[in-house]
Amino acid sequence: EDDGLFHYAVLPPSSTSDSGKPSAEAKRYLDETSGPEKPRVFRNAVLLLAASRDGLEVAQARVREYLAWEKVKDDLTPVENLVASAVLGGTTAEAADAREALERIGLAGREDLPTKVLSQGQRRRVALARLMLAARSPLWILDEPFTALDQSAVERLRETVEGHLQRGGMMVFTTHLEVSIRAGAMQRIDLDRR
């Protein structure tokens, strides 16, 4: 719209630009409302977000690295997964620490099996064991962390989360399950509410 109010738009990758040099598509969005015959009057009320060419290349490389990692991690054991994940996350973890985390999450005796032979719930536990090694990370962002876990694993994870919060950590998570977590402060957003 060209109504003088503030508007913003996120442009697609086809509009990537070099720093300080907007692409033709970005220029067109700034200059026109619906075509060349209808120029934009309030250009200073529009903020465009367009990826830089360099930034887009970096993002594409990270996606390629991630997809390659996804294929490799199923062949690794849970211990190897935890140690490698720590390194990829910029920290370190010893195999003994990984074994302890796996034991705490209920995977004792399965530490040396290829991850691909584990059940969905056991794979989920391997992923959640990373939290026990990530105690120094102040913010945890988790998507459905309690899904596909049996009751004992839910309880262990709840205790892990509460310990993180008691140490001053923060957590953002989504869930469809009702899990009671003791926290100093909590903000709940119910997306089902109408």
Side-chain angles (χ1 to χ4, degrees), residues 177-188:
L177 303 174
E178 194 65 39
V179 177
S180 177
I181 296 176
R182 289 185 301 258
M186 183 180 289
Q187 175 70 42
R188 180 182 174 141

Side-chain angles (χ1 to χ4, degrees), residues 42-127:
F42 298 103
R43 291 184 70 203
N44 62 345
V46 177
L47 171 66
L48 293 182
L49 301 175
S52 70
R53 203 167 311 283
D54 292 341
L56 187 60
E57 289 170 6
V58 168
Q60 288 170 335
R62 294 293 293 167
V63 167
R64 281 192 300 273
E65 289 170 10
Y66 175 76
L67 293 175
W69 170 244
E70 285 296 303
K71 289 181 181 178
V72 168
K73 74 179 190 176
D74 278 349
D75 291 329
L76 299 177
T77 68
V79 170
E80 293 166 337
N81 261 294
L82 293 179
V83 171
S85 292
V87 170
L88 291 172
T91 62
T92 60
E94 300 295 324
D97 298 327
R99 287 179 185 285
E100 181 183 331
L102 291 164
E103 183 176 337
R104 285 177 44 206
I105 200 76
L107 286 176
R110 293 175 178 85
E111 308 95 321
D112 298 314
L113 296 172
T115 302
K116 64 184 169 191
V117 303
L118 300 178
S119 71
Q120 180 185 2
Q122 291 168 335
R123 287 174 180 230
R124 188 86 165 159
R125 288 182 189 204
V126 172

Side-chain angles (χ1 to χ4, degrees), residues 152-165:
S152 67
V154 167
E155 183 60 25
R156 285 187 189 108
L157 178 57
R158 186 190 60 74
E159 291 170 358
T160 299
V161 165
E162 287 178 353
H164 175 68
L165 297 174

